[in-house]
Amino acid sequence: MFEIDYELGTPSKVAVNIFDEVRKGENKGIGSAVFDIGELLGARGNTKARKLKKGGTLFATVRKSQGSGMLRLQVKGTKLKNVEGMFSKSDPFFELSRKVDAAGSLTWDNVYRSKDIHNNLNPEWETAIISLSTLCGGNLDLPILLSVFDHESSGKHKPMGQLETSVNGLKQAAETRNSLQLQRKGKDVGAITVVKAEVSGAEDVTSRMATVTLSSAPTVGPAPSAPFTPMGQANFVDYVSGGCEINVVVAIDFTGSNGDPRKPGTLHYLHPDGRKNDYEKAISAIVGILSKYDSDQKFPVVGFGAKYGGVVRHCFQCGPHEESHGVAGVLDAYKQVFKSGLVMSGPTVFTEVIETAAARAMSSQSEAQRKGQQSYTVLLILTDGAVSDVQATAHSLNQVSHAPLSVVIVGLGDADFSSMQFLDDSSKPGKRDIAQFVQFNRHASNSVALTSETLHEIPEQLTGYFSSNGISPLPPIQRNDDEIMIEPEEDEIDLSLDITDEEIVVTGGGDGFVDGFASTQ
């Protein structure tokens, strides 16, 4: 288990390399895989699986880190039963595991392992410092399994006994000096004495959990290991873990101020060598992030500011289909517009696409609620100039602020966008702030900076909509291993590791994980 800081809009990928540790010589690679944290969050059950080239399958699950503080723990064993044989003594070490609901069933998840103590049946292990969020999710009464093993160089460690307790149980044992009995196959096999169990910096989540009302919806399989988060404490991760879909509507500016798309240097110029213009870069980076939270990968693409049949249209379909599939489909729909006989015109009007997206967002959430699900929509507006009527646009944003909708406006080109900042700050008292404006040129060479700046308000806006409407996150989705689609193997990740008794250090490799402007999947 690892703790990772994640922010929507900032790509975060984890390279996992598995090695056979060789004590004398170079460690042997067993397999590797890369997991995108956003894709894990967006996957049903927050779990993905990937085949390894050399055989086997690697599963990765992400869940919300809960609780805070640290546990300083020191334990010692007394009269442990020897499992080594007649002529030598065991080399005991202990592990701590927490009970989790993984892949649809309750299981013990190892979170800490001590060093082994050689040839000693009365070991006193070093003090361990363990994060409470990792050990028990901040719930000091959550079941913890303490297991003792005899260390074997082959890796086939022999069980010496185990006991079930909790952080509070460890604290009480330290205060009373009462030993905890180890058992193996129903028989006593020694005792564990808790020398020290000190908790620091922990928030009190036990009383808060007692106020939670669990969902009455029917469940399949074991209950979750912890109650789902009540609305007042919920965040973005809680909603997406419960299956909330994030739908994306893309609106593209085809006004005449963009310039003749047939001429190099204009904003809509389609490079014959495949290089992306700024519109394509923004679509690739931003929709590439948000698409991870939409299971069907279907995105409406609309245009505004062009004439068809002599009439200016402020909201028209791009491409042959009502919805485009994936980022590649959105880019294709954008390119198809230039073959449709449009005449680029003006003025720059957002109100119609805002109202259309709001209606679609309301409809999607209503349909999701009928199915016991949740839905939220992000409207991405790409434009080369300031909106023609700022006050009308601000009024439109306030009118639809009750909808499950966020509006992200990206300004492309060198126009004066100073008036657009007004839209970012135009929410009235009592109305949700649903708009965010970002100027593309400030981040034109860095896709991560663009998506981070563009999307960082979305989690708070999403949570604000649901909480203001009294809608709690749904319980986390649980999936069995056989329900998870196993993705094919990919190229091995070339990492060089230096493994010592104290730490594992990456000494080389692992470059090139993030390339948002180039993404077309």
Side-chain angles (χ1 to χ4, degrees):
M1 184 182 295
F2 305 90
E3 289 193 6
I4 298 171
D5 289 328
Y6 176 73
E7 179 182 354
L8 180 68
T10 303
S12 180
K13 297 188 179 184
V14 177
V16 181
N17 272 255
I18 304 173
F19 292 88
D20 173 22
E21 184 180 359
V22 179
R23 294 290 184 179
K24 295 181 180 179
E26 187 175 348
N27 299 303
K28 298 177 181 178
I30 294 175
S32 67
V34 173
F35 294 95
D36 184 289
I37 300 301
E39 290 180 353
L40 285 171
L41 271 176
R44 292 183 65 82
N46 305 136
T47 300
K48 294 181 77 70
R50 189 176 294 278
K51 282 186 176 180
L52 302 179
K53 274 193 170 183
K54 297 180 181 179
T57 303
L58 190 63
F59 289 80
T61 299
V62 64
R63 55 178 173 258
K64 178 183 175 182
S65 177
Q66 293 180 307
S68 61
M70 306 297 291
L71 171 68
R72 295 177 64 88
L73 176 68
Q74 184 178 20
V75 298
K76 65 180 183 179
T78 304
K79 297 181 179 179
L80 303 183
K81 185 175 179 60
N82 188 31
V83 296
E84 188 64 40
M86 186 178 299
F87 301 106
S88 59
K89 293 181 181 179
S90 297
D91 309 319
F93 67 89
F94 75 90
E95 290 184 346
L96 296 176
S97 303
R98 63 180 283 181
K99 186 172 284 188
V100 299
D101 194 331
S105 61
L106 291 172
T107 186
W108 291 107
D109 189 4
N110 173 242
V111 297
Y112 176 79
R113 174 182 288 184
S114 75
K115 293 183 179 179
D116 62 282
I117 297 182
H118 185 66
N119 201 29
N120 193 330
L121 298 179
N122 295 282
E124 184 167 345
W125 292 283
E126 295 179 357
T127 299
I129 302 175
I130 310 164
S131 164
L132 290 174
S133 63
T134 300
L135 181 61
C136 60
N139 179 2
L140 305 188
D141 291 315
L142 188 80
I144 295 171
L145 187 69
L146 189 154
S147 306
V148 180
F149 295 88
D150 174 26
H151 186 274
E152 297 292 336
S153 58
S154 66
K156 297 180 180 180
H157 309 305
K158 299 176 182 177
M160 297 180 68
Q162 62 184 33
L163 60 89
E164 188 173 324
T165 183
S166 64
V167 173
N168 276 336
L170 293 169
K171 288 174 61 181
Q172 184 178 16
E175 292 167 1
T176 61
R177 296 295 180 180
N178 290 334
S179 296
L180 303 176
Q181 199 66 48
L182 282 174
Q183 288 203 328
R184 182 166 178 260
K185 297 181 179 180
K187 296 181 179 180
D188 292 345
V189 287
I192 293 292
T193 300
V194 183
V195 179
K196 180 192 305 179
E198 301 171 351
V199 170
S200 61
E203 60 178 287
D204 182 10
V205 298
T206 306
S207 60
R208 179 157 53 83
M209 287 182 172
T211 66
V212 179
T213 301
L214 292 177
S215 170
S216 59
T219 58
V220 178
S225 57
F228 70 90
T229 306
M231 182 177 56
Q233 298 135 15
N235 66 11
F236 176 76
V237 173
D238 295 306
Y239 284 100
V240 297
S241 295
C244 180
E245 295 271 345
I246 299 182
N247 304 313
V248 184
V249 178
V250 181
I252 303 171
D253 184 341
F254 290 100
T255 57
S257 56
N258 282 279
D260 187 339
R262 296 167 296 185
K263 295 182 178 180
T266 57
L267 289 172
H268 281 307
Y269 179 68
L270 300 178
H271 296 274
D273 60 3
R275 285 182 295 138
K276 290 181 171 63
N277 62 35
D278 287 352
Y279 276 94
E280 293 173 296
K281 288 180 179 179
I283 289 170
S284 298
I286 299 170
V287 181
I289 294 287
L290 293 174
S291 65
K292 299 176 184 3
Y293 302 91
D294 187 336
S295 61
D296 67 8
Q297 295 287 292
K298 294 180 179 178
F299 310 116
V301 184
V302 299
F304 58 91
K307 283 184 180 179
Y308 281 94
V311 179
V312 178
R313 303 276 298 278
H314 298 303
C315 187
F316 57 87
Q317 177 180 306
C318 296
H321 307 293
E322 184 178 349
E323 295 179 315
S324 301
H325 188 268
V327 178
V330 175
L331 292 171
D332 185 64
Y334 162 67
K335 295 175 184 177
Q336 291 293 326
V337 172
F338 300 105
K339 303 176 183 178
S340 63
L342 88 163
V343 177
M344 299 177 72
S345 182
T348 303
V349 176
F350 294 167
T351 53
E352 195 169 333
V353 294
I354 291 172
E355 291 161 6
T356 299
R360 188 180 187 93
M362 294 290 289
S363 175
S364 296
Q365 169 61 2
S366 295
E367 179 64 22
Q369 282 185 310
R370 282 194 290 270
K371 298 177 180 178
Q373 300 169 354
Q374 294 172 346
S375 171
Y376 192 81
T377 299
V378 176
L379 168 62
L380 172 62
I381 300 177
L382 305 172
T383 182
D384 83 309
V387 67
S388 299
D389 191 334
V390 175
Q391 293 294 338
T393 307
H395 177 73
S396 178
L397 289 170
N398 279 299
Q399 287 293 102
V400 303
S401 63
H402 66 286
L405 177 71
S406 290
V407 180
V408 174
I409 306 168
V410 178
L412 299 102
D414 299 318
D416 179 7
F417 291 108
S418 57
S419 63
M420 298 290 277
Q421 189 60 41
F422 173 76
L423 297 177
D424 205 340
D425 308 318
S426 63
S427 59
K428 293 182 178 180
K431 300 285 188 178
R432 289 176 55 238
D433 176 15
I434 65 170
Q436 166 81 350
F437 174 76
V438 175
Q439 192 166 346
F440 179 86
N441 278 355
R442 294 179 180 174
H443 313 287
S445 61
N446 188 333
S447 68
V448 174
L450 174 69
T451 55
S452 178
E453 178 70 16
T454 303
L455 302 178
H456 80 276
E457 291 186 9
I458 301 297
E460 185 176 345
Q461 291 172 354
L462 180 150
T463 304
Y465 166 78
F466 286 112
S467 61
S468 65
N469 286 276
I471 303 173
S472 295
L474 298 172
I477 295 173
Q478 306 296 333
R479 302 186 73 183
N480 297 317
D481 284 355
D482 56 5
E483 297 175 324
I484 300 169
M485 184 181 71
I486 300 176
E487 298 179 353
E489 66 270 11
E490 54 189 13
D491 291 338
E492 293 284 319
I493 304 302
D494 184 19
L495 287 182
S496 299
L497 300 183
D498 181 17
I499 302 177
T500 69
D501 290 339
E502 298 296 328
E503 60 183 355
I504 301 175
V505 178
V506 179
T507 57
D511 301 322
F513 288 160
V514 178
D515 188 9
F517 285 148
S519 173
T520 57
Q521 57 186 350

